[in-house]
Amino acid sequence: MGPPRDRAARPDDPRPRPRPRAGEGLAVVLNPASGPAGTDSAARVRELFPAAMVKEVGEDDDAAEVARTLAATSGVRALGVWGGDGTVGAVAGVCADLRMPLAVLPGGTFNHFARDLGALEGAEVADAVAAGTALVCDLGRVRAERGDPEAPEEVRVVMLNTASVGVYPNLVRRRDHLRRRLPWLPKRAAGTLAALRTFGASTPTWLEIDGVRRKVWTLYIGRGRYWPRDIAPLERPILDDGVLDLRAASARPRFARLRLLTALVTGTAERSPALHEWDAEEVELAALGRPLVLAVDGEVVPGVRRATVRVERGALTVYSPRAAG
């Protein structure tokens, strides 16, 4: 079964959507390290929004704190962000907290969230901002404990796209590498080849998922349902379905690795007994033995002993060319 049809913003969304023409009333958090080499990011943002306030973040700056300061500035009615998913997530969390709309500009390497928004062209984003066209999106929230079990450090992260434990980050890295090297290769084929290489050379992880002990190759957590329904999803056409998309590739059944690899080759992974899928609004994870490495939107959180991932439904309003259709 293919992905559902695209869906635009809910017509009953009560939040105001300012229309800052030329960027008047818009403040943009800009990560100058993002974007293709040789790109003058600040000049590009000012070209799109000549009247906007633009603030560059340095290596030691907290993008969320910069965003909060900008949001409190007189006359600012919306925030924008130029950067990768890590920077976008930090600013998105602030916008959700303050009920302020967000404009996402494609300044990262892969721009996964911008792609799902239909926001890969800066000029189209500028048009959406000027017209006030926006989508309502859910937001993922991650709370992790790491370090000393008696006095753990607490880490809170916004999740725009995915989180995972185990081999999934390596799978994604190999898949994206294949797609860059072989652009003619179909997306699903690239995912399958990457999965074969990854699962063939990896070891499983022990952890508790909602209190149940599991031995898995990987646990994948999508913020919203992704397609295809296998271990290497690519598309997320709906951004406000209110669920976490959970997929665990089990290492417990006999010949689990062989079964999973066979299913990947034959395109039957979604029906494999080695792949467990379910939806939830919240999931709790705990390390068994060694601490976990939790990957959130491509950023690694090491040394995790416990973590809670939950979805905050309809938390974010984002300007999007998709909403115009």
Side-chain angles (χ1 to χ4, degrees), residues 13-35:
D13 178 28
R15 280 166 287 189
R17 294 173 187 160
R19 302 181 180 187
R21 295 185 180 278
E24 186 175 355
L26 178 71
V28 181
V29 179
L30 183 144
N31 183 349
S34 298

Side-chain angles (χ1 to χ4, degrees), residues 110-200:
F110 296 110
N111 300 306
H112 291 120
F113 188 54
R115 180 194 62 199
D116 291 340
L117 290 167
L120 291 177
E121 296 295 332
E124 293 181 0
V125 176
D127 289 342
V129 170
T133 55
L135 290 171
V136 174
C137 301
D138 300 335
L139 203 65
R141 301 278 191 177
V142 179
R143 176 185 173 277
E145 295 179 1
R146 62 183 187 177
D148 184 353
E150 301 300 320
E153 173 194 6
E154 183 177 281
V155 179
R156 292 181 181 266
V157 184
V158 169
M159 183 178 81
L160 295 173
N161 306 309
T162 63
S164 62
V165 173
V167 303
Y168 181 75
N170 291 336
L171 187 157
V172 172
R173 186 173 64 250
R174 288 190 173 105
R175 182 191 67 193
D176 290 343
H177 179 67
L178 278 170
R179 291 176 63 191
R180 288 196 302 272
R181 286 188 56 202
L182 306 172
W184 48 266
L185 189 67
K187 293 179 181 178
R188 188 157 189 165
T192 299
L193 289 173
L196 288 171
R197 175 69 181 89
T198 301
F199 286 110

Side-chain angles (χ1 to χ4, degrees), residues 168-285:
Y168 181 75
N170 291 336
L171 187 157
V172 172
R173 186 173 64 250
R174 288 190 173 105
R175 182 191 67 193
D176 290 343
H177 179 67
L178 278 170
R179 291 176 63 191
R180 288 196 302 272
R181 286 188 56 202
L182 306 172
W184 48 266
L185 189 67
K187 293 179 181 178
R188 188 157 189 165
T192 299
L193 289 173
L196 288 171
R197 175 69 181 89
T198 301
F199 286 110
S202 301
T203 56
T205 299
W206 279 98
L207 75 161
E208 278 189 3
I209 305 174
D210 287 334
V212 178
R213 292 170 59 93
R214 292 178 181 264
K215 184 182 181 183
V216 301
W217 297 110
T218 189
L219 171 67
Y220 161 90
I221 308 171
R223 208 285 300 136
R225 294 183 183 91
Y226 278 78
W227 272 262
R229 307 298 296 169
D230 59 21
I231 204 63
L234 290 160
E235 299 179 75
R236 177 180 49 174
I238 294 177
L239 297 174
D240 63 341
D241 55 12
V243 300
L244 298 175
D245 179 352
L246 293 132
R247 310 183 196 187
S250 177
R252 289 297 297 275
R254 193 179 184 189
F255 305 121
R257 190 197 313 244
L258 179 59
R259 288 181 180 182
L260 188 59
L261 293 176
T262 300
L264 288 167
V265 170
T266 58
T268 59
E270 61 189 281
R271 300 192 298 274
S272 171
L275 181 62
H276 303 283
E277 301 179 58
W278 70 103
D279 294 342
E281 294 182 2
E282 181 174 301
V283 63
E284 294 187 0
L285 312 176

